[in-house]
Amino acid sequence: MEFLDQEFYGNSLYNWLISLGILIGSFILVKILYWIFSNVFKRITSKTKTNIDDLLLDKLEKPLTYLVLIGGYWIAIHFLKFNDTISSVLENVAYLALVLDITTIFSRIFDALISEVIMPLSEKSESSFDNQLIPVIQKGVRSIIWVLGIIIGLDNIGFDITAMIAGLGIGGLALALAAQDSVKNIFAGIMIFLDKPFRLNDRIQINGHDGSVEEVGLRSTRIRTLEGRIVTIPNCTFTDNSVINVTSQPALKVKLNLGLTYDTNEEQMQNAINILEEIVKDQPQIKDDFAAGFNGFGDFSLNILFIYYVKPEGHWLDTQTLVNKEILRRFNKEGLEFAFPTQTIYKKEM
């Protein structure tokens, strides 16, 4: 028909209609594939014991159907004839879309493997840091996949990747110099993940801060102090200073110096020592390793040194409070008087 032979922008109407039909057909095919994914494949995967196939199907449904659209676009543009510049632009759009779609597929497959394979294994391990380290690695690998995908895509459409990488290297050097503190904290965070000087919920002491670890990030660590405040500490602080892990200690040593008045006799002194030993001997939160003894004559008191150890599962303050209250009660009951600074003045008559 002469009507279909009419040319528009260098192509006959017939060729334009065929190209449009290919695009419309690819859209229809995509809708069919969506229906197959939702009503056939998902029913099949829902009957399997593992969840990874369900997750992969859910994540790959769109990028796989996009391949059909890209293929339809590629066939459609080759039914038409354009000059070299327009043809190159149209083909480059197809190349770039294809590379980005394939990159999306690889990225989502990697995410699915991390979520359904690696994370369950890390949850079974004793280390609580794995649950935080794996998401950091996941983001890093995902970023690498996308960077490689974009580089390959730009290379396919004619960009000079070598010159671009060189430019990024110079820009990256300038950025690293400007953000060297952040880079230092990131590397310090990696060292914390690797060395594991403490775990989540451990009580630590560093630079005058004393509290439990609530979150370990790639750049900073948050601890909740004994006063209940949240303190954010740069990770480089942990590599540049000594960290005391209070939780890891086998027991908390408590040292008491008690002073009795100088009118205390030998029998009362021995009774006081026996009372101290009896108090800690009956406490389940205190180790059997304890000591009490008459260790010196002070300026205004007879001194007793009392040492005991609180077990890790015992609360460090509650246990001391319980012991101190029992000492006060028992000593008062036995008539043992605590000394306080006194001074006796003797006046000589002339």
Side-chain angles (χ1 to χ4, degrees), residues 120-341:
L121 292 177
S122 68
E123 290 173 357
K124 296 179 182 178
S125 66
E126 297 180 356
S127 175
S128 57
F129 274 116
D130 294 344
N131 296 332
Q132 288 196 330
L133 181 58
I134 290 176
V136 173
I137 296 176
Q138 182 179 6
K139 292 179 181 178
V141 175
R142 189 193 304 146
S143 299
I144 292 174
I145 292 174
W146 274 102
V147 168
L148 291 176
I150 292 173
I151 290 176
I152 294 172
L154 294 177
D155 183 59
N156 283 333
I157 63 177
F159 277 82
D160 190 351
I161 299 301
T162 304
M164 183 181 297
I165 293 176
L168 290 175
I170 297 174
L173 178 60
L175 181 62
L177 292 174
Q180 54 183 332
D181 289 340
S182 296
V183 174
K184 182 179 179 182
N185 286 325
I186 290 174
F187 278 103
I190 295 174
M191 294 306 300
I192 291 175
F193 283 123
L194 295 177
D195 292 343
K196 300 178 181 178
F198 48 79
R199 300 173 181 269
L200 292 178
N201 300 319
D202 278 1
R203 179 187 168 193
I204 64 172
Q205 296 175 348
I206 182 171
N207 275 11
H209 300 294
D210 188 345
S212 58
V213 180
E214 288 211 342
E215 180 182 347
V216 180
L218 199 58
R219 195 195 67 84
S220 63
T221 296
R222 294 182 180 181
I223 68 172
R224 186 175 293 277
T225 64
L226 301 181
E227 295 81 12
R229 303 184 182 95
I230 291 291
V231 179
T232 301
I233 302 176
N235 284 335
C236 63
T237 306
F238 295 95
T239 57
D240 295 340
N241 298 274
S242 298
V243 182
I244 300 175
N245 192 325
V246 180
T247 302
S248 64
Q249 63 186 2
L252 175 65
K253 180 180 179 180
V254 180
K255 181 179 178 181
L256 288 177
N257 285 296
L258 303 174
L260 300 181
T261 58
Y262 260 93
D263 58 0
T264 303
N265 59 39
E266 180 184 356
E267 182 180 351
Q268 289 175 317
M269 178 62 71
Q270 185 60 48
N271 186 29
I273 293 174
N274 293 338
I275 289 173
L276 294 174
E277 292 179 348
E278 290 173 3
I279 289 174
V280 295
K281 188 181 297 183
D282 297 332
Q283 295 296 332
Q285 305 299 335
I286 297 177
K287 297 183 69 175
D288 294 335
D289 186 14
F290 53 84
F294 178 24
N295 72 325
F297 297 88
D299 294 336
F300 49 83
S301 64
L302 301 176
N303 298 330
I304 299 177
L305 177 62
F306 181 37
I307 299 175
Y308 64 92
Y309 298 88
V310 180
K311 296 178 181 179
E313 60 270 19
H315 192 277
W316 62 277
L317 183 57
D318 290 346
T319 304
Q320 291 182 68
T321 300
L322 184 64
V323 171
N324 291 340
K325 287 169 63 178
E326 189 65 14
I327 292 173
L328 184 62
R329 186 185 69 82
R330 294 284 297 275
F331 273 39
N332 289 336
K333 180 180 179 181
E334 297 294 330
L336 300 171
E337 297 183 5
F338 290 101
F340 53 88

Side-chain angles (χ1 to χ4, degrees), residues 34 43 46 50 52 98 101 110-111 132 154 207 221 226 236 248 265 318 348:
Y34 269 127
R43 287 184 180 179
S46 63
T50 179
I52 190 170
L98 179 63
D101 193 58
F110 174 76
D111 285 341
Q132 288 196 330
L154 294 177
N207 275 11
T221 296
L226 301 181
C236 63
S248 64
N265 59 39
D318 290 346
K348 185 177 181 180

